[in-house]
Amino acid sequence: MLRSPFFYSLFFLFFLSCKDKKPVILTSKPIVKEAVVLRAKGISNFQAKKFNSAFYYFNKSKIDFETGKDSANVVFCLIQMASIQQINGDYYGSKETLTEALPFVKKKDIYSAAINNYFGIADKELSLYNDAIFYYNEAIKDIADSISKHAPLNNIAVIYIEQKKYDKAISLLESILENKTFDNPSFINSKARILDNLGFAYFKKGNTDNGLKFMIQGLELRKNIDDTYGSIESYLHLAQYFEKTDRKKSANFAQNAYNIATKFNSVDERLKALSFLISNGSEPKYAQKYISINDSILVIRNNFKNKFAKIKYDSKKEKEENQKLKLEKAENLLALQKAKYQKIVGIIGIIFLGIVIVVLIRYYKNINRIIGLRSAYDTETRIAKNIHDELANDVFHAITFTQTQSLTTENTKENLLLKLDHIYTRVRGISRENSEIETGTNYAVNLKEILSTYNSDVTNVIIKGIEEINWDAIDKTKKVAIQRVMQELMVNMKKHSHAQLVVLKFDSNAKTVFIDYVDNGKGCIKEKIIKNGLQNMENRILAIKGTITFDTEPDKGFKVKIKLPK
């Protein structure tokens, strides 16, 4: 429950109510008025779950309040920034933000309690349990009324369960429930949470009867008050309770948790529910969903961390630049004098740049000429090798066949015609591989036909999606490179992989073409890829600003992923 957006929203609204009871006295300074507007934007974006924007406005507001020496509002903004970071999994970043707030806290009050509670949450999620308990206890010291202390006390009990100190957790949770205030309907949701945690602690200790009883009581209370979100944790605890004794019940509870977590877009709870569904042997789709959700949330949270750090950095940089502007006004006269010298330096730079450009043009012309010669040589060598290795052998076998077999029988004639047709196909393939490439409207047809020639009695070549790509939108140079690379891949397959199955998949979006090559051949050691002549492929793809990735191991096939801009 500690990482849920619901929990953070409660804390946020709690602070707003505190602010209403103790309003900050604002001065008439323009900088403070602007800070109030920015703070309001931060609050509205937070409530709309637009966390990037909320963090940005709270940070801007904090800077203005700091300039206006309004420490209470500085602390308020920093606490909200820390809560946003924790919602998005940036616990180290939140601790840094909370540390910024400490110098502005003048006394033990609700702000210091909030700061310590958030420190506790961060350390709990980072598995620094002893540090988390310390901060929760500090938060308890700063809270005046007893009922408000139950939240950090419950958090301490949760940590005890994580540490397998079940007796401590049970004792603490039972002492919390002794407070008659929890019989008040306003605190039923808190009572349900504590009962659920108490039942889970008994279950983990081995007292299954008490465990089930309290967890069911907690779930029923949550149902009675329509605490749909809170019921996720109850269902997850019950799924774990029945995991080894009744897999069907466990799966049902996990499914309920998953459905509600999906409705509330609560990723962590979805992952927990999926893990139970997977362990209970449910459909394979759950494993795929788990991998997909887990991968995406890692990317999203890393992006959030980077964005929060950038927002802070940009704001700090903006503040520094504003201070520099004042100094720059005094240096304008000196800048005018420097401009004359800069003009001279600029002219010299242009001349130097021109010389460099001329040198580079000549250099690349020579490089292109060398590449052209090398390509021609490679082509001639490849043609000669194909004629020697393939065509010459086929012709020799055909001649031997005519010398050793009687051509008067019908079967012999048919065999000879098949051999001659095979030779013709070989000659046509060599011609097509080394002829000028058609890059017009028939490009896809010709490319597919060339690749299909590598079909044989022992190799099945499957080509997918080639006609679905809008080849007319792709530059001619890139189409030439694609065809050459595909030919080199197929030649490599035939010479080295000896694959029985080859799959070529073509795909694209508005800006990019994707090509996936997979075969079930011999494979090779990655370090030997260059020796196998595949370096030329990489050079071709890099030359058209694309990327190519080889993935292979001995006896595990050969995979190539190509991505290039249209």
Side-chain angles (χ1 to χ4, degrees), residues 317-429:
K317 188 177 179 181
E318 182 181 354
K319 184 178 179 181
E320 291 173 351
E321 287 176 352
N322 288 336
Q323 293 174 344
K324 287 180 181 179
L325 285 174
K326 297 178 182 178
L327 296 175
E328 289 176 359
K329 290 180 181 179
E331 295 174 353
N332 281 340
L333 183 60
L334 182 61
L336 290 172
Q337 295 175 349
K338 288 182 179 180
K340 296 179 181 179
Y341 296 103
Q342 289 173 348
K343 187 176 181 180
I344 297 171
V345 173
I347 293 171
I348 296 172
I350 291 171
I351 294 171
F352 177 75
L353 182 62
I355 295 171
V356 170
I357 290 171
V358 171
V359 171
L360 287 175
I361 289 172
R362 295 192 64 180
Y363 171 76
Y364 282 111
K365 280 185 177 179
N366 289 331
I367 288 292
N368 290 334
R369 183 176 60 83
I370 293 169
I371 291 173
L373 292 172
R374 185 178 297 165
S375 177
Y377 173 76
D378 290 342
T379 301
E380 291 170 0
T381 303
R382 184 170 63 253
I383 294 171
K385 186 170 179 58
N386 286 342
I387 291 172
H388 178 271
D389 292 349
E390 300 178 5
L391 190 59
N393 287 337
D394 291 343
V395 172
F396 174 76
H397 288 310
I399 293 171
T400 304
F401 183 82
T402 59
Q403 292 173 343
T404 58
Q405 303 292 325
S406 174
L407 301 179
T408 58
T409 62
E410 195 65 30
N411 286 339
T412 305
K413 289 180 181 180
E414 288 182 4
N415 285 337
L416 178 59
L417 288 173
L418 285 173
K419 289 181 181 293
L420 292 174
D421 184 66
H422 182 67
I423 292 170
Y424 171 75
T425 302
R426 292 270 192 181
V427 172
R428 191 178 177 200

Side-chain angles (χ1 to χ4, degrees), residues 230-274:
S231 65
I232 296 175
E233 196 73 359
S234 291
Y235 286 129
L236 289 173
H237 283 165
L238 289 166
Q240 188 170 349
Y241 179 90
F242 288 105
E243 189 176 23
K244 295 182 180 178
T245 58
D246 192 333
R247 295 167 70 86
K248 186 176 180 180
K249 276 189 178 181
S250 177
N252 287 336
F253 283 121
Q255 185 67 59
N256 287 337
Y258 178 78
N259 292 339
I260 298 171
T262 302
K263 176 183 176 182
F264 284 92
N265 195 27
S266 182
V267 177
D268 292 307
E269 283 79 4
R270 286 180 73 190
L271 291 175
K272 289 178 186 177
L274 285 171

Side-chain angles (χ1 to χ4, degrees), residues 501-520:
L501 178 64
V502 178
V503 178
L504 278 161
K505 182 180 178 183
F506 294 78
D507 198 1
S508 69
N509 58 27
K511 296 182 179 179
T512 309
V513 176
F514 306 93
I515 304 173
D516 289 343
Y517 169 94
V518 181
D519 72 39
N520 64 348

Side-chain angles (χ1 to χ4, degrees), residues 151-260:
L153 285 170
N154 177 71
N155 292 344
I156 291 173
V158 171
I159 291 177
Y160 284 151
I161 295 172
E162 294 284 347
Q163 294 178 318
K164 299 182 180 180
K165 298 177 181 178
Y166 304 122
D167 288 328
K168 279 190 171 185
I170 291 168
S171 176
L172 181 56
L173 290 167
E174 287 180 340
S175 68
I176 297 173
L177 286 172
E178 289 174 1
N179 192 325
K180 299 301 180 183
T181 310
F182 285 108
D183 294 331
N184 188 316
S186 301
F187 298 98
I188 292 298
N189 61 339
S190 298
K191 185 176 182 180
R193 181 169 62 253
I194 294 166
L195 282 170
D196 181 55
N197 287 331
L198 179 59
F200 189 67
Y202 269 119
F203 157 62
K204 297 296 286 185
K205 183 185 176 183
N207 189 337
T208 54
D209 291 337
N210 276 340
L212 182 60
K213 179 181 74 173
F214 287 120
M215 283 191 283
I216 292 295
Q217 285 181 11
L219 178 59
E220 291 302 321
L221 285 177
R222 281 168 163 161
K223 286 182 177 179
N224 290 339
I225 60 172
D226 290 328
D227 182 10
T228 309
Y229 187 90
S231 65
I232 296 175
E233 196 73 359
S234 291
Y235 286 129
L236 289 173
H237 283 165
L238 289 166
Q240 188 170 349
Y241 179 90
F242 288 105
E243 189 176 23
K244 295 182 180 178
T245 58
D246 192 333
R247 295 167 70 86
K248 186 176 180 180
K249 276 189 178 181
S250 177
N252 287 336
F253 283 121
Q255 185 67 59
N256 287 337
Y258 178 78
N259 292 339
I260 298 171

Side-chain angles (χ1 to χ4, degrees), residues 97-113:
T97 302
L98 293 168
T99 303
E100 286 183 50
L102 292 176
F104 298 95
V105 179
K106 306 300 182 184
K107 59 181 179 179
K108 299 290 185 180
D109 59 6
I110 194 64
Y111 285 114
S112 59

